[in-house]
Amino acid sequence: MRKDVRILLVGEPKVGKTSLIMSLVSEEFPTVVPYRAEEITIPADVTPERVPTHIVDYSEAEQTDEQLFQEITKANVICIVYSVNNKTSIEKVTSYWIPLILDNTDKDSRVPLILVGNKSDLVEHSSMETILPVMNQYSEIETCVECSAKNLKNISELFYYAQKAVLHPTGPLYCPDKKDMRPLCVKALTRIFKVSDMDNDGILNDNELNFFQKTCFNMPLEPQALEDVKNVVRKNLSDGVCDNGLTLKGFLFLHTLFIQRGRHETTWTVLRRFGYDDDLELNQDYLFAPLKVPPDCTTELNHTAYLFLQSVFDKHDKDRDCALLPEELRDLFDVFPYTPWGPDVNNTVCTNEQGWITYQGYLSQWTLTTYLDVQRCLEYLGYLGYSIIAEQESQAAAITVTRDKKIDLQKKQTQRGVFRCNVFGDAGSGKSGFLQAFLGRNLMHQQMIKEEHKSYYAISTTFVYGQEKYLLLHEVFPDLDYLSDADLACDIICLVYDVSNPYSFEYCAKVFKQYFMDCKIPCMMIAAKSDLPETKQFYGCSPLEFCRRHKMPPPQSFTCNTAGAPGRDIYTKLSTMAMYPHARLRCMCTCNRCTFCLCQNLLNSELLQTVRAKLHAVVLRRHVSQADLKSSAFWLRASVGASVCALLGFAMYRVLLKTR
Ligand code: GDP
Ligand code: MG
């Protein structure tokens, strides 16, 4: 909202400018007035729109032209005063004052004008007949008003209109020539309609209208008022109301009506609530809420944000096939000023057989944007109306900034949901294949991807001991001269070599020694293209020996040249290592069947966690009611049982590990 409003009064001498100002201030007609009133400031709390308002007088006798021009540039709104009983002063409005003001203001940011006919007490007839044609001629003229400083008629109204002309200008909303809303205003209101139409049926039903009303005006509509609104639309438009709800046409009609009846503050309230500024652009404060992301922290979407995005998906997946066809995706992005996702997104996340982004894939892409470019994510959420629909303070409420990774490592625990794996390897070693295989695509499928649609990222979910986690794979450009900080910062590193190319392992060894030998990030060697005959690598030692020497797991055979979808085990292993980078009892098995996995599952199971939490609560709680006692006794027994199980399991796990 604007800081203050500056109103300037101009016009021929003796039309009553100074008297008008003094009448407003003292609420009585001054018999003696100076040439020029001092500038006055009306404090915010006594003005109708609650903005501090400055009122500035002009006097030819006391001010130079230069001073007048300066005041014109400083003003937010200009009242051109004439006297209704003085023909010359009326003529001068068009012959002198309007041209002078237009010459001294920017074409792009023209100030609104108000025509003021003073001394209405002196005449019987109105000057409106002469003035209306002038109004139609200049779109800058917001309104005209007749008043009298002498009998205080319309004085406060005059200043209210002036304030309103600044705070709720008609200019950006309405074109008086065409007698219709301007295209930018239609565009903004259309977006607002689409965001508010939560079931995407093209109609605002009573629930949606009430939510809209509550969001914009802080109160729901009375049922009768709701019917009245719909009746007004029905009367004027054949297709404005459909199935007892408001169509887009009806919604736009209603706003045109508001504006035409001088109630454009209603439309402005709606526009501002949905993030628009005076130029009808979404303002920066709405799109980019401040968010601090300290180093070693990452950004993820929280639960409410996922719920919101889920509802957006459901609203657009009209055929309910859990994937967004191109038209559905286009419809989803209709509230954006541009299409945010290019064809590369289809090669970054999971798609269905037709190549359309699935529900999983859709959430993955959001997760990726949040992780890589949180500002962009906030912007996108803003276009979707997240803060409004999910009733949050700002778009930033969607984001969890994770704990510093150093603390995670210290505490050997992490709450993160996204783990980043940077994939290194020489040109042609099979990195892209490794990324695409994560999305379930075998070699044949990958060969159909166009060069310009390739992606250097792949993201999907994996299960780490029963918990769903995102794994983000990033293919690092092989030329080490171009490494960025982001290429080196990650949760796990993959070094990929081609088993059929004797020169490809050397690159992995070099990257490892140069960047990762002394860092704590776990590394995994991938022996790619394992379907091809293996050749001896031209390097001082074998890959297996290299891994042993540097305390890495042995090279993992991998191929994406499979009949069906390539195996996923390797990705689960990567996520597990990323999540538990220094688990002393690290077991690389993630089969989910052996004792190791079962023990891990038990330790991480939600039941055990809840039981633990309950136990805590019971032990710590002071006042326990009778009913509570019963249930706490149960929980106590349950948790003791579960703890014993866990301990036994854990002991078994260690014994088994020793015998290995
Ligand atoms: P300015 O030069 O435009 O500032 O005009 P003034 O405020 O000095 O007023 C000029 C003359 O018009 C004074 O004699 C005022 O008393 C008189 N006047 C101002 N407003 C009114 C009004 O509404 N009705 C009548 N009858 N006289 C007015
Ligand atoms: Mg004066």
Side-chain angles (χ1 to χ4, degrees):
M1 221 31 190
R2 181 175 274 282
K3 282 202 314 293
D4 51 6
V5 171
R6 195 174 173 87
I7 305 173
L8 172 67
L9 279 75
V10 298
E12 295 301 294
K14 299 285 161 216
V15 291
K17 300 181 292 296
T18 310
S19 303
L20 282 170
I21 297 173
M22 303 199 37
S23 286
L24 174 81
V25 177
S26 61
E27 289 182 0
E28 59 184 9
F29 182 58
T31 43
V32 190
V33 289
Y35 280 124
R36 181 170 183 252
E38 296 275 336
E39 176 180 330
I40 59 162
T41 298
I42 307 176
D45 50 347
V46 293
T47 71
E49 295 281 348
R50 316 231 152 248
V51 216
T53 301
H54 314 282
I55 302 178
V56 183
D57 195 5
Y58 163 70
S59 160
E60 205 178 50
E62 288 194 354
Q63 286 172 292
T64 62
D65 281 354
E66 194 48 47
Q67 282 169 319
L68 171 64
F69 300 156
Q70 266 179 17
E71 285 299 345
I72 289 175
T73 17
K74 279 196 323 200
N76 303 123
V77 52
I78 300 174
C79 299
I80 306 177
V81 187
Y82 60 89
S83 168
V84 289
N85 68 343
N86 179 341
K87 262 215 162 106
T88 326
S89 74
I90 301 180
E91 278 161 21
K92 283 282 188 102
V93 170
T94 41
S95 65
Y96 180 73
W97 287 106
I98 297 180
L100 178 92
I101 292 167
L102 296 186
D103 280 350
N104 280 286
T105 46
D106 239 1
K107 275 216 164 42
D108 302 324
S109 57
R110 282 197 172 161
V111 286
L113 305 178
I114 293 179
L115 302 186
V116 182
N118 188 30
K119 308 197 190 179
S120 67
D121 56 290
L122 293 180
V123 292
E124 293 288 296
H125 66 275
S126 151
S127 63
M128 282 304 157
E129 253 168 57
T130 340
I131 287 304
L132 280 178
V134 181
M135 256 192 92
N136 286 333
Q137 194 184 341
Y138 296 97
S139 59
E140 289 81 3
I141 303 176
E142 277 281 333
T143 188
C144 53
V145 54
E146 285 192 348
C147 60
S148 162
K150 188 160 182 185
N151 55 24
L152 305 180
K153 198 181 136 211
N154 276 349
I155 303 295
S156 33
E157 284 83 352
L158 155 65
F159 289 98
Y160 172 55
Y161 293 148
Q163 224 181 24
K164 215 172 98 166
V166 179
L167 299 174
H168 313 297
T170 323
L173 304 185
Y174 193 75
C175 173
D177 293 344
K178 295 190 181 135
K179 301 215 178 335
D180 208 353
M181 276 197 288
R182 291 191 191 276
L184 220 57
C185 178
V186 172
K187 200 174 140 208
L189 288 172
T190 305
R191 177 181 156 265
I192 292 172
F193 180 91
K194 288 190 158 252
V195 167
S196 309
D197 178 15
M198 297 191 216
D199 53 9
N200 197 26
D201 63 350
I203 296 166
L204 293 186
N205 60 32
D206 285 2
N207 279 339
E208 289 162 347
L209 275 173
N210 261 321
F211 181 83
F212 173 80
Q213 189 73 16
K214 235 175 45 209
T215 315
C216 295
F217 306 99
N218 288 325
M219 52 183 162
L221 269 175
E222 295 293 318
Q224 189 50 50
L226 201 65
E227 276 318 301
D228 291 347
V229 166
K230 280 187 271 191
N231 282 334
V232 169
V233 178
R234 265 194 205 106
K235 237 183 253 163
N236 289 279
L237 263 187
S238 58
D239 48 358
V241 175
C242 183
D243 291 340
N244 199 30
L246 211 53
T247 63
L248 175 61
K249 255 188 156 172
F251 183 74
L252 293 176
F253 168 78
L254 212 54
H255 281 281
T256 315
L257 209 63
F258 288 146
I259 299 167
Q260 284 172 343
R261 302 233 171 124
R263 279 179 49 202
H264 32 293
E265 63 270 28
T266 310
T267 303
W268 272 119
T269 307
V270 170
L271 289 165
R272 296 215 168 94
R273 177 66 183 98
F274 279 80
Y276 289 92
D277 61 16
D278 282 356
D279 305 324
L280 295 186
E281 303 281 345
L282 285 174
N283 72 52
Q284 301 293 303
D285 291 349
Y286 169 80
L287 291 178
F288 304 102
L291 184 75
K292 248 206 176 140
V293 185
D296 284 328
C297 298
T298 58
T299 40
E300 297 179 0
L301 291 164
N302 61 26
H303 186 60
T304 22
Y306 277 116
L307 284 182
F308 169 75
L309 290 170
Q310 191 181 327
S311 73
V312 171
F313 183 94
D314 289 344
K315 149 176 174 178
H316 290 95
D317 179 23
K318 289 204 162 154
D319 56 0
R320 302 253 166 268
D321 65 347
C322 276
L324 294 175
L325 347 172
E327 307 90 81
E328 289 173 344
L329 202 61
R330 229 174 293 132
D331 189 34
L332 193 151
F333 291 137
D334 215 24
V335 292
F336 283 58
Y338 54 90
T339 309
W341 295 358
D344 59 316
V345 172
N346 295 53
N347 297 316
T348 306
V349 300
C350 288
T351 55
N352 67 8
E353 266 118 63
Q354 286 103 317
W356 299 333
I357 292 168
T358 58
Y359 174 65
Q360 257 313 324
Y362 161 88
L363 291 183
S364 299
Q365 179 62 27
W366 276 99
T367 307
L368 178 74
T369 312
T370 314
Y371 190 97
L372 295 179
D373 189 351
V374 71
Q375 287 301 320
R376 185 139 294 222
C377 168
L378 294 179
E379 180 191 338
Y380 291 175
L381 286 170
Y383 296 142
L384 291 176
Y386 167 74
S387 62
I388 299 159
I389 301 300
E391 303 180 78
Q392 302 290 323
E393 185 97 341
S394 74
Q395 318 309 339
I399 308 296
T400 303
V401 177
T402 62
R403 183 163 77 171
D404 188 325
K405 191 172 170 183
K406 291 191 287 293
I407 301 178
D408 276 4
L409 291 175
Q410 247 170 38
K411 305 220 168 192
K412 305 193 171 170
Q413 249 184 29
T414 180
Q415 296 295 322
R416 290 188 186 207
V418 188
F419 296 91
R420 177 178 176 135
C421 170
N422 285 349
V423 181
F424 288 83
D426 208 354
S429 57
K431 298 183 294 298
S432 301
F434 186 68
L435 262 71
Q436 288 300 315
F438 184 36
L439 306 176
R441 295 161 191 179
N442 62 20
L443 195 60
M444 217 166 66
H445 186 136
Q446 291 170 30
Q447 278 156 352
M448 297 189 297
I449 298 174
K450 290 196 187 115
E451 190 58 38
E452 65 270 27
H453 296 173
K454 279 194 173 156
S455 172
Y456 291 102
Y457 292 94
I459 179 166
S460 186
T461 55
T462 55
F463 281 87
V464 179
Y465 299 123
Q467 299 178 55
E468 193 176 23
K469 298 287 173 188
Y470 280 97
L471 180 65
L472 186 174
L473 299 179
H474 169 50
E475 174 176 346
V476 178
F477 190 65
D479 191 337
L480 297 177
D481 291 340
Y482 293 99
L483 279 191
S484 70
D485 288 347
D487 290 333
L488 297 175
C490 58
D491 303 300
I492 180 156
I493 290 143
C494 266
L495 302 163
V496 180
Y497 71 95
D498 172 357
V499 293
S500 68
N501 176 354
Y503 304 101
S504 78
F505 178 72
E506 193 187 354
Y507 178 91
C508 295
K510 186 173 149 208
V511 168
F512 180 79
K513 286 190 162 166
Q514 199 168 334
Y515 299 103
F516 303 118
M517 197 152 79
D518 302 315
C519 81
K520 293 241 163 66
I521 308 173
C523 290
M524 182 80 115
M525 193 70 76
I526 308 288
K529 310 192 189 178
S530 64
D531 55 305
L532 299 179
E534 184 163 356
T535 53
K536 190 175 171 327
Q537 292 291 329
F538 285 121
Y539 188 74
C541 64
S542 73
L544 180 66
E545 178 61 18
F546 185 88
C547 289
R548 205 185 51 76
R549 255 186 232 166
H550 295 287
K551 299 197 168 51
M552 264 190 261
Q556 308 284 308
S557 284
F558 171 82
T559 175
C560 58
N561 192 4
T562 48
R568 293 182 59 85
D569 279 1
I570 181 67
Y571 306 104
T572 311
K573 279 184 193 176
L574 290 174
S575 302
T576 312
M577 278 169 78
M579 197 170 164
Y580 302 106
H582 51 195
R584 258 187 302 138
L585 303 170
R586 185 188 298 147
C587 157
M588 286 318 301
C589 176
T590 48
C591 70
N592 263 326
R593 286 184 296 272
C594 72
T595 322
F596 297 98
C597 288
L598 295 180
C599 290
Q600 273 289 359
N601 283 348
L602 180 66
L603 285 173
N604 290 311
S605 73
E606 271 182 35
L607 176 71
L608 190 64
Q609 302 289 348
T610 355
V611 166
R612 253 191 230 147
K614 282 275 177 192
L615 187 64
H616 249 255
V618 169
V619 170
L620 294 177
R621 211 189 307 158
R622 299 237 169 99
H623 312 286
V624 188
S625 72
Q626 204 53 32
D628 270 338
L629 252 182
K630 272 189 203 146
S631 70
S632 29
F634 161 75
W635 279 113
L636 204 63
R637 259 179 283 136
S639 40
V640 168
S643 308
V644 169
C645 274
L647 281 174
L648 276 176
F650 198 63
M652 214 152 78
Y653 179 25
R654 300 191 68 153
V655 168
L656 276 168
L657 201 79
K658 264 189 205 154
T659 58
R660 261 202 168 178

